[in-house]
Amino acid sequence: MTHFDVASAAVEAALAAGARYADARVMHRRSESMSARNGEIEDLSQAEDAGVGVRALVGSSWGFFALPDLGRDAARRAGERATAIARASATVPAPAVDLVEVEARTDSWASVCEVDPLGVALSTKGDLLTGATAEAHKGGADIAEGIYQIWDTRKWFVSSQGHRIDQHIREAGAGISATVIGDGETQRRSYPSYRGQYGTRGWELVDELDLTAHAARIADEARALLTAPQCPAGETTLILGSEQMALQIHESVGHAIELDRILGWEAAFAGTSWLDLAKLNQLRYGSELMNITIDPTIPGALGSFGYDDEGTPAAPRHAVKDGIWVGTLAGRDSAAVAGLDYAGSVRSDGWARLPMVRMTNVGLTPGPHSLEEMIASTADGVLMDFNRSWSIDDKRLNFQFGCEIGWEIKDGKLGRMLRNPTYTGIGPRFWGSMDMLGSELTAWGTPNCGKGQPGQIGHTGHPAAAARFQNVRVGVRG
């Protein structure tokens, strides 16, 4: 049997058991990660799994069942069980759930990959991490750590509406950090971000990072932070670097525009959203400089794909346009319930998990300014970058974030380094204060976005640039 045959058998069995719609995903996934500390390998993990997951719709209720068995009998059993679960869930009469229309396609898609990351010798990968962490340790880091992660995923999707799509998505990334310990103080600096940089690319992405070249610098900066003055407390002009802006987008925009949260479907665990569907296309989310897109078509970005896990083709659209909220992340069912005509944002982290609304590449479109212009036009303020901590309420409205490093700005010039920089705000008020936005975007990858019950880890992308905000409270303690 081919993988399409397995998926088709599962769908046919679900329909025969009484489902009015069904789809199935056969997935084969390989993953690998390695970590090092102070010039020594700490851990090597390699995993491989395969299975089939089936969704069945009965009335207004979904059923899902998955098995790590790609035989025909197992596939049919999974389809039957998915329908049985859906029927058991439909004990309370409710209007039948519609699905937003999507063209059924037969297609194949693969992410761009120049160097197969799983084909690179383990010795080469190990030498990279041990060399970079040894360099940072020699440069003054008490704890120098490095990591790379690789995922190689193949999917075969079939639906009762005629979809027949296969995809091959390869993802890779890496990063290093330097931690120093002082008298009652611990500081850390990371490169290229606090968790590394990741994308739907091959090992060429890791090579381009050139980790070893930055190892001594981050160790030196971490040690300098031990004696740097504390970030002052008060309201001031705040400039955020692009790495911290990616986290700001992820937490205060990306999660807030997930339609399942807005509808209350995720309230039990992930929370809800401060957004009200009645205000779509009317609500001011931020200043006119704020343009946020949902775009899974960006080559190499971590949230990119050809089709989501409902067979909806990837396509770009706006979430915020000229500061006005205009779009959501949605699935075919949630979009239909909300009266919307688009979906395209449903994925799962494996064959054994129910697909759900997830971020794709949610990020800013570029503005007209350079970072140098922002600094030069700021009389008094603080520049912060590289996330260190995050805290946001379950409506994704009130937040407090900490960064690894900051610098004071006086009379248009960058001044002293500042330690423990923090800032706080309320989503629309904060975004409304953005008066300058950078022209140079970086598509930062977030490989650790958690959501769902049982929990799933999503891979998301966030194109971001430096930006300036007015009257922001900084130096928050506790």
Side-chain angles (χ1 to χ4, degrees):
M1 294 180 68
T2 69
H3 293 101
F4 278 126
D5 291 337
V6 174
S8 296
V11 169
E12 291 165 4
L15 295 177
R20 63 186 183 90
Y21 168 85
D23 58 36
R25 291 168 302 113
V26 172
M27 294 181 64
H28 175 227
R29 177 178 55 188
R30 293 183 293 163
S31 62
E32 179 181 293
S33 65
M34 183 185 293
S35 62
R37 177 181 293 190
N38 295 349
E40 300 288 339
I41 298 297
E42 285 265 290
D43 180 69
L44 170 64
S45 174
Q46 296 174 311
E48 182 172 4
D49 60 43
V52 58
V54 190
R55 292 194 313 171
L57 185 59
V58 175
S60 62
S61 298
W62 285 106
F64 177 77
F65 195 79
L67 284 172
D69 187 336
L70 299 184
R72 182 183 296 274
D73 290 343
R76 293 192 62 83
R77 188 163 68 253
E80 292 166 354
R81 290 292 300 274
T83 299
I85 292 169
R87 182 176 292 110
S89 300
T91 56
V92 178
V97 171
D98 292 320
L99 301 178
V100 167
E101 291 295 324
V102 61
E103 178 187 356
R105 297 187 184 182
T106 298
D107 199 5
S108 182
W109 186 88
S111 58
V112 174
C113 178
E114 296 177 12
V115 181
D116 179 4
L118 291 176
V120 176
L122 285 174
S123 58
T124 299
K125 299 166 181 172
D127 287 347
L128 171 66
L129 294 187
T130 56
T133 57
E135 187 70 17
H137 187 51
K138 184 174 70 175
D142 294 302
I143 303 172
E145 297 176 299
I147 188 172
Y148 75 76
Q149 297 181 85
I150 297 165
W151 302 269
D152 187 311
T153 305
R154 294 178 182 267
K155 305 180 183 183
W156 294 264
F157 176 79
V158 171
S159 83
S160 58
Q161 294 178 334
H163 293 88
R164 195 177 177 91
I165 298 165
D166 69 276
Q167 299 188 81
H168 186 191
I169 301 173
R170 284 181 280 195
E171 304 159 300
I176 55 173
S177 66
T179 300
V180 296
I181 302 168
D183 185 13
E185 187 82 26
T186 299
Q187 294 293 333
R188 184 189 73 202
R189 285 290 289 117
S190 306
Y191 172 81
S193 83
Y194 78 94
R195 61 187 169 269
Q197 172 65 316
Y198 299 84
T200 52
R201 298 180 60 197
W203 194 253
E204 67 275 6
L205 183 157
V206 178
D207 283 337
E208 291 167 10
L209 295 176
D210 199 1
L211 299 179
T212 304
H214 295 268
R217 174 184 60 81
I218 63 170
D220 185 64
E221 289 179 359
R223 190 149 295 282
L225 281 167
L226 286 178
T227 55
Q230 286 272 10
C231 176
E235 285 195 359
T236 190
T237 300
L238 173 66
I239 299 175
L240 294 180
S242 70
E243 196 270 358
Q244 177 61 25
M245 280 293 290
L247 186 279
Q248 182 72 52
I249 294 164
H250 181 98
E251 298 293 350
S252 71
V253 181
H255 279 303
I257 63 172
E258 292 168 340
L259 187 52
D260 55 350
R261 295 177 66 108
I262 295 170
L263 294 172
W265 296 0
E266 271 291 297
F269 183 70
T272 57
S273 172
W274 67 276
L275 295 171
D276 181 350
L277 272 177
K279 297 181 179 179
L280 186 66
N281 298 313
Q282 303 171 43
L283 176 74
R284 177 158 292 283
Y285 210 120
S287 74
E288 292 185 355
L289 282 173
M290 186 184 186
N291 288 282
I292 299 281
T293 59
I294 301 166
D295 188 359
T297 69
I298 300 173
L302 191 60
S304 295
F305 48 80
Y307 295 83
D308 79 345
D309 283 350
E310 294 187 307
T312 302
R317 60 187 184 276
H318 271 91
V320 179
K321 186 170 178 59
D322 300 327
I324 304 299
W325 175 43
V326 297
T328 67
L329 294 154
R332 294 181 65 189
D333 55 356
S334 58
V337 167
L340 307 177
D341 62 359
Y342 57 86
S345 300
V346 165
R347 290 185 292 165
S348 76
D349 73 354
W351 55 267
R353 290 290 181 263
L354 179 69
M356 64 192 304
V357 174
R358 300 307 302 254
M359 284 180 248
T360 61
N361 298 311
V362 179
L364 286 161
T365 61
H369 308 108
S370 67
L371 177 58
E372 291 74 21
E373 288 173 328
M374 295 181 213
I375 295 170
S377 62
T378 300
D380 186 81
V382 178
L383 167 63
M384 301 183 192
D385 205 2
F386 297 92
N387 182 254
R388 185 173 182 176
S389 65
W390 62 93
S391 177
I392 190 164
D393 68 13
D394 61 2
K395 288 190 174 183
R396 300 288 154 164
L397 181 60
N398 300 282
F399 60 83
Q400 179 178 318
F401 298 142
C403 296
E404 288 184 356
I405 192 167
W407 294 268
E408 67 177 5
I409 302 172
K410 295 289 185 183
D411 299 321
K413 295 182 179 180
L414 213 57
R416 301 176 299 170
M417 181 185 292
L418 301 174
R419 65 186 164 104
N420 304 328
T422 61
Y423 67 100
T424 187
I426 300 172
R429 186 181 302 170
F430 178 80
W431 286 104
S433 75
M434 182 171 67
D435 66 347
M436 298 186 80
L437 177 62
S439 58
E440 296 185 11
L441 290 179
T442 298
W444 294 100
T446 299
N448 61 334
C449 177
K451 186 179 177 183
Q453 289 176 291
Q456 298 190 36
I457 300 299
H459 294 181
T460 69
H462 302 290
R468 190 177 79 166
F469 302 85
Q470 293 293 342
N471 303 314
V472 179
R473 186 180 171 202
V474 304
V476 183
R477 304 284 181 260

